[in-house]
Amino acid sequence: MARHQVIVAGCGEMSNAWFDYAAQRDDVSIVGLVDIFEENAVKMAEKRGLKVPVFNDISVALQSVDANLVFDVTIPSSHKAVVTAAMEAGCHVFGEKPMAESLEDAREIVKVSERTGKRYSVMQNRRYLRQIRAFRDYLHTGAIGKVGSVHADFFLGPRFGGFRDVMDSPLIVDMAIHTFDQARFITGADPVSVYCHEYNPEGSWYQGNASAICIFEMSDGSVFSYRGSWSAIGLPTSWEADWRVIGNKGSARWDGTHMPISEQLKEQAGDAFFHEVVQTEVEASWNGREGHVGCLDEMFAALEEGRPAETDSLDNIHSVAMVFGAVESAKTGKKVYL
């Protein structure tokens, strides 16, 4: 019997990557499928050649099959119910971001995790890229000195259809969690406060606010600024955003696609009008697998080693706080302390 007996909750298109990953591992066995629309679970079982029971209720599934792990690939509004039911039933959970639909729900999930001793690890796949790991490691060498400001631009125009089109804050709640989490990962700092202006520009095909500008004060004294839109036509950034980090000895840049570069003060620089600098091409320093696969590798490794994963809910709660702090600030027009 495989060590990890898995129930998959949510059988839409997003779950395909999770099924693909599970199929790669000899220690994982899918033992049940759950979807609020049971026909989706039936179709997925047929597609994947799985002879397992299907359900439309996670609680019934947990009572009916012997599982110790749940993959939560449901929509955000279902995360709290799925995750807490799973942990109360003795299962660990690996799930899609965001960890909950509200900060209050996220905090309740953390309490359940702490009380039950069960782990809830969140898919923050954009931490698992060679470029961002090299960027983070380079910044931590102190080559550009003490970081004072971090800037990220995110401009894309995807037409998803479905639940995102009718969300109140599709960019901030469904997407910006990635960029906010990346900022924490890059700096090693947590948020202290946020001021956010959220809006829906002319031509947007979203019902809710698809654009935002945010200013975060971070625990290391730096400032993180975010400019983003999900209804920007033309001149797209990468999905990983376009980054600039400024320290007291130089600046580092990552466009989200290529390896980062930096320019830092030249030794024994003169007194020219502009500082003399030397450019550095940052080299890769991490050889793990990338994206969803890399994040899942870390989740399973952490589970087997008996430690919290890098994206455990106890850490990810700080990224979630950035999301819902930004939403609250946009609604109130005031700075929000986190």
Side-chain angles (χ1 to χ4, degrees):
M1 179 181 292
R3 291 198 303 277
H4 306 291
Q5 305 289 104
V6 178
I7 292 174
V8 179
C11 295
E13 286 300 314
M14 190 182 296
S15 66
N16 281 309
W18 294 74
F19 281 106
D20 289 344
Y21 181 88
Q24 299 174 15
R25 298 186 66 108
D26 295 333
D27 59 352
V28 170
S29 178
I30 305 296
V31 297
L33 304 181
V34 183
D35 197 285
I36 190 171
F37 300 108
E38 195 168 318
E39 61 269 23
N40 290 342
V42 172
K43 290 178 182 177
M44 186 60 75
E46 293 173 350
K47 175 181 178 180
R48 295 283 170 174
L50 297 170
K51 298 185 184 303
V52 298
V54 300
F55 308 89
N56 61 13
D57 187 302
I58 185 64
S59 296
V60 175
L62 290 162
Q63 294 169 6
S64 303
V65 300
D66 185 14
N68 55 24
L69 180 61
V70 170
F71 288 172
D72 177 19
V73 204
T74 62
I75 62 174
S77 60
S78 297
H79 289 181
K80 179 188 174 185
V82 171
V83 173
T84 55
M87 290 193 295
E88 294 284 9
C91 293
H92 298 288
V93 184
F94 299 163
E96 276 291 346
K97 55 77 190 166
M99 63 179 284
E101 195 179 34
S102 70
L103 184 56
E104 292 73 22
D105 284 354
R107 286 171 173 161
E108 287 187 38
I109 288 172
V110 167
K111 289 179 182 178
V112 174
S113 176
E114 292 174 329
R115 176 169 53 79
T116 62
K118 297 303 174 183
R119 297 295 182 194
Y120 173 32
S121 301
V122 184
M123 179 55 71
Q124 297 286 182
N125 50 294
R126 283 172 173 79
R127 288 183 176 220
Y128 297 90
L129 298 169
R130 290 171 64 249
Q131 296 99 327
I132 196 171
R133 297 235 158 203
F135 196 37
R136 187 271 309 265
D137 292 348
Y138 179 77
L139 293 174
H140 289 192
T141 67
I144 65 168
K146 180 174 173 55
V147 171
S149 55
V150 179
H151 307 280
D153 283 345
F154 178 91
F155 296 105
L156 288 167
R159 291 180 177 271
F160 291 105
F163 70 91
R164 294 178 180 87
D165 283 8
V166 297
M167 291 175 67
D168 290 338
S169 303
L171 176 72
I172 293 293
V173 173
D174 192 62
M175 186 62 218
I177 180 68
H178 279 304
T179 315
F180 295 171
D181 187 71
Q182 285 174 291
R184 291 185 54 239
F185 176 70
I186 289 167
T187 63
D190 289 327
V192 174
S193 70
V194 59
Y195 176 79
C196 174
H197 177 68
E198 190 183 34
Y199 60 103
N200 205 28
E202 187 70 27
S204 171
W205 47 93
Y206 294 86
Q207 180 175 300
N209 290 320
S211 298
I213 298 171
C214 305
I215 302 170
F216 291 92
E217 294 174 305
M218 305 297 284
S219 59
D220 64 354
S222 66
V223 172
F224 165 51
S225 73
Y226 170 86
R227 300 187 303 176
S229 177
W230 242 0
S231 60
I233 300 172
L235 300 176
T237 63
S238 78
W239 284 92
E240 282 65 49
D242 188 348
W243 295 82
R244 179 186 292 267
V245 180
I246 303 172
N248 63 347
K249 296 181 180 179
S251 298
R253 180 91 186 274
W254 178 46
D255 65 2
T257 302
H258 304 94
M259 290 300 294
I261 60 172
S262 82
E263 291 187 346
Q264 59 273 358
L265 281 173
K266 188 177 182 179
E267 288 186 19
Q268 299 178 339
D271 296 324
F273 184 69
F274 284 110
H275 294 290
E276 293 183 76
V277 296
V278 58
Q279 187 172 103
T280 299
E281 294 184 6
V282 179
E283 296 182 356
S285 55
W286 182 71
N287 295 312
R289 298 200 291 177
E290 296 186 291
H292 279 75
V293 174
C295 192
L296 281 161
D297 282 347
E298 160 63 8
M299 291 178 183
F300 274 101
L303 200 58
E304 291 165 2
E305 295 165 14
R307 60 173 174 82
E310 191 175 81
T311 61
D312 188 273
S313 58
L314 276 66
D315 177 84
N316 196 243
I317 188 71
H318 298 294
S319 298
V320 172
M322 295 174 80
V323 169
F324 293 110
V327 171
E328 181 183 349
S329 174
K331 288 180 178 178
T332 62
K334 299 178 180 178
K335 178 190 285 190
V336 171
Y337 288 90
L338 305 172

